[in-house]
Amino acid sequence: MTSSGKGARRQVKPASVLLRSKGADKPGYLSTWPAHVSSQIVLQKDPLSGVNRHHGCSDEFGGPVPKPRFLEQLECYLKRELTALDPLSPKLQERKLQVYREVFDYFIEDFKTYKPLLCAVKNEYDITLAYLQEQIRELEPLRSQLVLLSERCDKKVLGLREKERAEIRILKQERQHLQQVIESMREEQRALQTQVYRLKEELAVQYLQYRDEHDARKLLIANISSVSYNPEEDPDMAHDGDEVQPEDPVTVKLALKVCREDLTKAQVELNRLHAEYGDVVPRRDWENLDRMYKENLLKLETSQTDFDQMKSEYDALLDVHRQVSLQKDSLQKELEVFQEASTPRPHWEQCADVLGSRERWSEIFEGQSSKKRLEILLEELNSMGLQQKEFFSGMGTSSDVPIYLRYEGQLRNLRLRKADVVRIIKDIWREKASEDEKLDDRSDLKEFLHQYMERQHGGQAGEWVYSLLDSIKCNLKDDFISLFYDILTNKVHESLYHGQTQLLSNLLKVLIQSDSTESGLLTAAEFREALRTAFPLKGDQDIEELVVAAQSELETSEGSIAYQRLYTEDTDGNHGQFLGLVKRQATAERHHYINQLRTQLEGKEVVSVEETMSAFKTIDPTLDSESLYWNLRIAFHTKDLTLHTALLSTEVAIQRLSVANVSRAGPMPQPE
């Protein structure tokens, strides 16, 4: 027994070790009490006679065989110790095993003859338990990796769903627009139909008028033909006839016939034109509709291509997630089997008083290797030496105090570990991204931190936020924690964090697309080509540095590169050498871009919006308008550039841009 608890229990060794049954004075003595008798001989009262009777084996005379006194004392001791244990204790099984070990040790000590054999059996069991515990400790990092992979897969799935929603929203808008166009065309058709009806009515009226005129002309011709011309009977007519010669009826009749034929031809031509061109639209309207149709068809084909590509990527991510889930489930089952069959080794309890309590010591060292325990111990001692406070004093509720620090009174220091700080910061970013997506706007980090702490911890929100800030200040060497603190204190813009996240996410997406075999491995050439695709503006030297960093981190020189392992994090949430170099290169490129802008604006103490826009277009001609206006809003600290007409100090504008996610969109312009 190596536990300190065993020594304490041996001091209260049961009296059965000193008091043995009669005839058991020599070492190695075996009782003659029958072995088949149950170890639990209890007294039961006969319900008829009221006499206590023994239930067990009888001796050769028919009387009850008493159990050896040593056995009874061991059983009483075992029952008493087991009854004294707390059923709600977190390590109940370990303490029960310790009690049985002590009983077994007493049993071995009593039988000197069989002691070597029994000790060998016991040692073999202890070695096996230690081996199983070591196996469980080796499997612990795999569980953290599985949790990390599961979280990343969930983020990818959420990102794909967000893109799909955006595409669906755009398609819905296009559908509504097309429906409006169709409705307008229907309105035009109804207007044209109304016009056709009106023209038909006018044509019917004209036709009636024509028939009346036709009948009148027939009557006139008949009258003229029936009347005989006699100039002698009417001298006045004769006198007039000398002056005006009357028209020839034959000529008039012939002219009337020709007019009727022309009218018939015109009517036939009018009917033909009406029949052929009644449903025809103007050529100008047809050309406009044809052009709109071709544009919409091209947009639809482009959207369908993008949707198919996104769907294939989404299916690939689902397959990867399914495989990782299966591996996670199998490893979880193996871990549960090992946990059921093993007993944890004791912790370094000699240092428990350094941190104040045994519970905190157990929480810090749970599942850690010896090397990691030493690092954690040194880190805790360092943080305790820098600032050892049991309570914080609230800064009050005045308006000049940040909203997340507006608490009064004495607030207990929770002494959060670095791993706890990283976990809380990640949860804050995740919750904030979800809320910003719902509100379709980016909220302030200070206000969200206050709401998050109130929602998560209620009345203890002050203790948590002050303890969190204290632990952050003790771990400012960590890039992830330091970036969160700088954003919280307005030293840098929040877009820096989102830019880093988008950068790493886009790189992983390109690596997955380059993995045509879906094996999780890429050759050095494929990995180099994928980096050029993800970072088209980087030079060959930067690409080679990234390849060397990836090979160094994975400890491979010419073999395949398991790119998914490059995204693993340690227990403190830190990335490896490769992703650290990606971030450093991005920071250097951003600073170089800002220095080019500074050079372009050199000599100007104050600048306007137009001058800054011209400088951006000069150093980055391919910069799109959306990114350009975002940069200008950051520089001039306004949401509407049209309302900002005042000049701004050049240094102030450069300073605001240097702490935001401002990056180059295209290659540098070549000098003429």
Side-chain angles (χ1 to χ4, degrees), residues 302-322:
T302 304
S303 301
Q304 185 65 31
T305 303
D306 296 340
F307 176 75
D308 294 338
Q309 181 181 1
M310 187 175 299
K311 186 176 183 300
S312 61
E313 296 175 359
Y314 175 71
D315 294 337
L317 289 176
L318 281 182
D319 293 336
V320 174
H321 178 68
R322 191 179 300 108

PDB file of all heavy atoms in Angstrom, residues 302-322:
ATOM      1  N   THR A 302     -25.118  30.794 -62.998  1.00  0.00           N
ATOM      2  CA  THR A 302     -24.000  31.046 -62.062  1.00  0.00           C
ATOM      3  C   THR A 302     -24.378  30.634 -60.640  1.00  0.00           C
ATOM      4  O   THR A 302     -23.587  29.977 -59.936  1.00  0.00           O
ATOM      5  CB  THR A 302     -23.625  32.527 -62.095  1.00  0.00           C
ATOM      6  OG1 THR A 302     -23.326  32.908 -63.433  1.00  0.00           O
ATOM      7  CG2 THR A 302     -22.408  32.780 -61.207  1.00  0.00           C
ATOM      8  N   SER A 303     -25.569  30.978 -60.218  1.00  0.00           N
ATOM      9  CA  SER A 303     -26.011  30.608 -58.867  1.00  0.00           C
ATOM     10  C   SER A 303     -26.123  29.098 -58.722  1.00  0.00           C
ATOM     11  O   SER A 303     -25.751  28.531 -57.688  1.00  0.00           O
ATOM     12  CB  SER A 303     -27.368  31.266 -58.561  1.00  0.00           C
ATOM     13  OG  SER A 303     -27.282  32.661 -58.647  1.00  0.00           O
ATOM     14  N   GLN A 304     -26.604  28.430 -59.778  1.00  0.00           N
ATOM     15  CA  GLN A 304     -26.722  26.976 -59.704  1.00  0.00           C
ATOM     16  C   GLN A 304     -25.351  26.318 -59.619  1.00  0.00           C
ATOM     17  O   GLN A 304     -25.158  25.344 -58.878  1.00  0.00           O
ATOM     18  CB  GLN A 304     -27.480  26.459 -60.947  1.00  0.00           C
ATOM     19  CG  GLN A 304     -27.763  24.968 -60.928  1.00  0.00           C
ATOM     20  CD  GLN A 304     -28.718  24.591 -59.800  1.00  0.00           C
ATOM     21  OE1 GLN A 304     -29.569  25.391 -59.433  1.00  0.00           O
ATOM     22  NE2 GLN A 304     -28.556  23.407 -59.251  1.00  0.00           N
ATOM     23  N   THR A 305     -24.367  26.851 -60.373  1.00  0.00           N
ATOM     24  CA  THR A 305     -23.000  26.308 -60.305  1.00  0.00           C
ATOM     25  C   THR A 305     -22.412  26.488 -58.915  1.00  0.00           C
ATOM     26  O   THR A 305     -21.826  25.560 -58.337  1.00  0.00           O
ATOM     27  CB  THR A 305     -22.127  27.000 -61.348  1.00  0.00           C
ATOM     28  OG1 THR A 305     -22.708  26.828 -62.646  1.00  0.00           O
ATOM     29  CG2 THR A 305     -20.722  26.384 -61.348  1.00  0.00           C
ATOM     30  N   ASP A 306     -22.559  27.698 -58.359  1.00  0.00           N
ATOM     31  CA  ASP A 306     -22.042  27.932 -57.000  1.00  0.00           C
ATOM     32  C   ASP A 306     -22.748  27.045 -55.985  1.00  0.00           C
ATOM     33  O   ASP A 306     -22.111  26.521 -55.058  1.00  0.00           O
ATOM     34  CB  ASP A 306     -22.230  29.404 -56.621  1.00  0.00           C
ATOM     35  CG  ASP A 306     -21.420  30.330 -57.523  1.00  0.00           C
ATOM     36  OD1 ASP A 306     -20.469  29.833 -58.145  1.00  0.00           O
ATOM     37  OD2 ASP A 306     -21.760  31.525 -57.604  1.00  0.00           O
ATOM     38  N   PHE A 307     -24.042  26.875 -56.156  1.00  0.00           N
ATOM     39  CA  PHE A 307     -24.784  26.037 -55.213  1.00  0.00           C
ATOM     40  C   PHE A 307     -24.337  24.577 -55.299  1.00  0.00           C
ATOM     41  O   PHE A 307     -24.177  23.906 -54.271  1.00  0.00           O
ATOM     42  CB  PHE A 307     -26.277  26.146 -55.505  1.00  0.00           C
ATOM     43  CG  PHE A 307     -27.134  25.238 -54.652  1.00  0.00           C
ATOM     44  CD1 PHE A 307     -27.373  25.537 -53.321  1.00  0.00           C
ATOM     45  CD2 PHE A 307     -27.661  24.069 -55.170  1.00  0.00           C
ATOM     46  CE1 PHE A 307     -28.138  24.709 -52.531  1.00  0.00           C
ATOM     47  CE2 PHE A 307     -28.428  23.224 -54.385  1.00  0.00           C
ATOM     48  CZ  PHE A 307     -28.669  23.551 -53.063  1.00  0.00           C
ATOM     49  N   ASP A 308     -24.108  24.077 -56.520  1.00  0.00           N
ATOM     50  CA  ASP A 308     -23.645  22.691 -56.662  1.00  0.00           C
ATOM     51  C   ASP A 308     -22.275  22.501 -56.030  1.00  0.00           C
ATOM     52  O   ASP A 308     -22.016  21.495 -55.346  1.00  0.00           O
ATOM     53  CB  ASP A 308     -23.594  22.309 -58.145  1.00  0.00           C
ATOM     54  CG  ASP A 308     -24.983  22.285 -58.775  1.00  0.00           C
ATOM     55  OD1 ASP A 308     -25.964  22.153 -58.005  1.00  0.00           O
ATOM     56  OD2 ASP A 308     -25.091  22.402 -60.000  1.00  0.00           O
ATOM     57  N   GLN A 309     -21.378  23.466 -56.247  1.00  0.00           N
ATOM     58  CA  GLN A 309     -20.054  23.365 -55.644  1.00  0.00           C
ATOM     59  C   GLN A 309     -20.136  23.406 -54.120  1.00  0.00           C
ATOM     60  O   GLN A 309     -19.485  22.613 -53.426  1.00  0.00           O
ATOM     61  CB  GLN A 309     -19.176  24.503 -56.148  1.00  0.00           C
ATOM     62  CG  GLN A 309     -17.743  24.486 -55.584  1.00  0.00           C
ATOM     63  CD  GLN A 309     -16.919  25.636 -56.097  1.00  0.00           C
ATOM     64  OE1 GLN A 309     -17.425  26.469 -56.870  1.00  0.00           O
ATOM     65  NE2 GLN A 309     -15.676  25.706 -55.703  1.00  0.00           N
ATOM     66  N   MET A 310     -20.947  24.305 -53.598  1.00  0.00           N
ATOM     67  CA  MET A 310     -21.093  24.397 -52.140  1.00  0.00           C
ATOM     68  C   MET A 310     -21.724  23.127 -51.571  1.00  0.00           C
ATOM     69  O   MET A 310     -21.348  22.653 -50.499  1.00  0.00           O
ATOM     70  CB  MET A 310     -21.945  25.614 -51.789  1.00  0.00           C
ATOM     71  CG  MET A 310     -22.041  25.909 -50.301  1.00  0.00           C
ATOM     72  SD  MET A 310     -22.945  27.438 -50.019  1.00  0.00           S
ATOM     73  CE  MET A 310     -21.882  28.588 -50.883  1.00  0.00           C
ATOM     74  N   LYS A 311     -22.667  22.551 -52.305  1.00  0.00           N
ATOM     75  CA  LYS A 311     -23.306  21.324 -51.842  1.00  0.00           C
ATOM     76  C   LYS A 311     -22.310  20.167 -51.793  1.00  0.00           C
ATOM     77  O   LYS A 311     -22.311  19.355 -50.863  1.00  0.00           O
ATOM     78  CB  LYS A 311     -24.482  20.963 -52.745  1.00  0.00           C
ATOM     79  CG  LYS A 311     -25.316  19.771 -52.262  1.00  0.00           C
ATOM     80  CD  LYS A 311     -26.525  19.550 -53.156  1.00  0.00           C
ATOM     81  CE  LYS A 311     -27.385  18.410 -52.610  1.00  0.00           C
ATOM     82  NZ  LYS A 311     -26.651  17.147 -52.538  1.00  0.00           N
ATOM     83  N   SER A 312     -21.421  20.089 -52.823  1.00  0.00           N
ATOM     84  CA  SER A 312     -20.410  19.027 -52.807  1.00  0.00           C
ATOM     85  C   SER A 312     -19.449  19.204 -51.633  1.00  0.00           C
ATOM     86  O   SER A 312     -19.082  18.232 -50.959  1.00  0.00           O
ATOM     87  CB  SER A 312     -19.636  19.039 -54.128  1.00  0.00           C
ATOM     88  OG  SER A 312     -18.964  20.271 -54.316  1.00  0.00           O
ATOM     89  N   GLU A 313     -19.046  20.464 -51.378  1.00  0.00           N
ATOM     90  CA  GLU A 313     -18.172  20.708 -50.225  1.00  0.00           C
ATOM     91  C   GLU A 313     -18.888  20.368 -48.923  1.00  0.00           C
ATOM     92  O   GLU A 313     -18.288  19.806 -47.997  1.00  0.00           O
ATOM     93  CB  GLU A 313     -17.730  22.167 -50.220  1.00  0.00           C
ATOM     94  CG  GLU A 313     -16.877  22.543 -51.418  1.00  0.00           C
ATOM     95  CD  GLU A 313     -16.567  24.027 -51.438  1.00  0.00           C
ATOM     96  OE1 GLU A 313     -17.041  24.734 -50.511  1.00  0.00           O
ATOM     97  OE2 GLU A 313     -15.858  24.475 -52.363  1.00  0.00           O
ATOM     98  N   TYR A 314     -20.152  20.709 -48.857  1.00  0.00           N
ATOM     99  CA  TYR A 314     -20.930  20.404 -47.654  1.00  0.00           C
ATOM    100  C   TYR A 314     -21.042  18.889 -47.435  1.00  0.00           C
ATOM    101  O   TYR A 314     -20.897  18.404 -46.313  1.00  0.00           O
ATOM    102  CB  TYR A 314     -22.314  21.031 -47.790  1.00  0.00           C
ATOM    103  CG  TYR A 314     -23.271  20.703 -46.654  1.00  0.00           C
ATOM    104  CD1 TYR A 314     -23.093  21.252 -45.389  1.00  0.00           C
ATOM    105  CD2 TYR A 314     -24.333  19.840 -46.854  1.00  0.00           C
ATOM    106  CE1 TYR A 314     -23.952  20.954 -44.359  1.00  0.00           C
ATOM    107  CE2 TYR A 314     -25.197  19.534 -45.828  1.00  0.00           C
ATOM    108  CZ  TYR A 314     -25.008  20.100 -44.577  1.00  0.00           C
ATOM    109  OH  TYR A 314     -25.864  19.786 -43.556  1.00  0.00           O
ATOM    110  N   ASP A 315     -21.266  18.140 -48.524  1.00  0.00           N
ATOM    111  CA  ASP A 315     -21.336  16.677 -48.397  1.00  0.00           C
ATOM    112  C   ASP A 315     -19.995  16.101 -47.948  1.00  0.00           C
ATOM    113  O   ASP A 315     -19.944  15.168 -47.133  1.00  0.00           O
ATOM    114  CB  ASP A 315     -21.741  16.057 -49.744  1.00  0.00           C
ATOM    115  CG  ASP A 315     -23.162  16.443 -50.134  1.00  0.00           C
ATOM    116  OD1 ASP A 315     -23.954  16.786 -49.219  1.00  0.00           O
ATOM    117  OD2 ASP A 315     -23.485  16.416 -51.330  1.00  0.00           O
ATOM    118  N   ALA A 316     -18.895  16.670 -48.475  1.00  0.00           N
ATOM    119  CA  ALA A 316     -17.579  16.189 -48.048  1.00  0.00           C
ATOM    120  C   ALA A 316     -17.351  16.446 -46.563  1.00  0.00           C
ATOM    121  O   ALA A 316     -16.839  15.582 -45.828  1.00  0.00           O
ATOM    122  CB  ALA A 316     -16.478  16.876 -48.877  1.00  0.00           C
ATOM    123  N   LEU A 317     -17.748  17.627 -46.099  1.00  0.00           N
ATOM    124  CA  LEU A 317     -17.599  17.932 -44.668  1.00  0.00           C
ATOM    125  C   LEU A 317     -18.484  17.023 -43.820  1.00  0.00           C
ATOM    126  O   LEU A 317     -18.086  16.615 -42.722  1.00  0.00           O
ATOM    127  CB  LEU A 317     -17.954  19.391 -44.411  1.00  0.00           C
ATOM    128  CG  LEU A 317     -16.955  20.433 -44.930  1.00  0.00           C
ATOM    129  CD1 LEU A 317     -17.485  21.837 -44.702  1.00  0.00           C
ATOM    130  CD2 LEU A 317     -15.611  20.262 -44.246  1.00  0.00           C
ATOM    131  N   LEU A 318     -19.659  16.705 -44.316  1.00  0.00           N
ATOM    132  CA  LEU A 318     -20.523  15.787 -43.575  1.00  0.00           C
ATOM    133  C   LEU A 318     -19.889  14.401 -43.461  1.00  0.00           C
ATOM    134  O   LEU A 318     -19.967  13.755 -42.410  1.00  0.00           O
ATOM    135  CB  LEU A 318     -21.882  15.691 -44.263  1.00  0.00           C
ATOM    136  CG  LEU A 318     -22.864  16.847 -44.018  1.00  0.00           C
ATOM    137  CD1 LEU A 318     -24.172  16.573 -44.741  1.00  0.00           C
ATOM    138  CD2 LEU A 318     -23.128  17.039 -42.538  1.00  0.00           C
ATOM    139  N   ASP A 319     -19.250  13.939 -44.548  1.00  0.00           N
ATOM    140  CA  ASP A 319     -18.580  12.633 -44.494  1.00  0.00           C
ATOM    141  C   ASP A 319     -17.440  12.652 -43.484  1.00  0.00           C
ATOM    142  O   ASP A 319     -17.271  11.710 -42.698  1.00  0.00           O
ATOM    143  CB  ASP A 319     -18.052  12.264 -45.889  1.00  0.00           C
ATOM    144  CG  ASP A 319     -19.188  12.026 -46.873  1.00  0.00           C
ATOM    145  OD1 ASP A 319     -20.316  11.700 -46.402  1.00  0.00           O
ATOM    146  OD2 ASP A 319     -18.969  12.164 -48.087  1.00  0.00           O
ATOM    147  N   VAL A 320     -16.644  13.738 -43.518  1.00  0.00           N
ATOM    148  CA  VAL A 320     -15.543  13.844 -42.548  1.00  0.00           C
ATOM    149  C   VAL A 320     -16.084  13.873 -41.123  1.00  0.00           C
ATOM    150  O   VAL A 320     -15.554  13.213 -40.217  1.00  0.00           O
ATOM    151  CB  VAL A 320     -14.705  15.111 -42.843  1.00  0.00           C
ATOM    152  CG1 VAL A 320     -13.660  15.314 -41.754  1.00  0.00           C
ATOM    153  CG2 VAL A 320     -14.027  14.991 -44.205  1.00  0.00           C
ATOM    154  N   HIS A 321     -17.162  14.626 -40.922  1.00  0.00           N
ATOM    155  CA  HIS A 321     -17.767  14.702 -39.590  1.00  0.00           C
ATOM    156  C   HIS A 321     -18.302  13.338 -39.150  1.00  0.00           C
ATOM    157  O   HIS A 321     -18.170  12.960 -37.979  1.00  0.00           O
ATOM    158  CB  HIS A 321     -18.888  15.731 -39.607  1.00  0.00           C
ATOM    159  CG  HIS A 321     -19.603  15.859 -38.292  1.00  0.00           C
ATOM    160  ND1 HIS A 321     -19.004  16.377 -37.163  1.00  0.00           N
ATOM    161  CD2 HIS A 321     -20.865  15.506 -37.920  1.00  0.00           C
ATOM    162  CE1 HIS A 321     -19.856  16.360 -36.165  1.00  0.00           C
ATOM    163  NE2 HIS A 321     -20.993  15.835 -36.601  1.00  0.00           N
ATOM    164  N   ARG A 322     -18.890  12.598 -40.080  1.00  0.00           N
ATOM    165  CA  ARG A 322     -19.419  11.280 -39.739  1.00  0.00           C
ATOM    166  C   ARG A 322     -18.283  10.320 -39.344  1.00  0.00           C
ATOM    167  O   ARG A 322     -18.395   9.569 -38.379  1.00  0.00           O
ATOM    168  CB  ARG A 322     -20.199  10.727 -40.935  1.00  0.00           C
ATOM    169  CG  ARG A 322     -21.006   9.475 -40.603  1.00  0.00           C
ATOM    170  CD  ARG A 322     -21.777   8.992 -41.820  1.00  0.00           C
ATOM    171  NE  ARG A 322     -22.697  10.022 -42.297  1.00  0.00           N
ATOM    172  CZ  ARG A 322     -22.516  10.705 -43.412  1.00  0.00           C
ATOM    173  NH1 ARG A 322     -21.450  10.500 -44.174  1.00  0.00           N
ATOM    174  NH2 ARG A 322     -23.405  11.619 -43.786  1.00  0.00           N
TER     175      ARG A 322
END
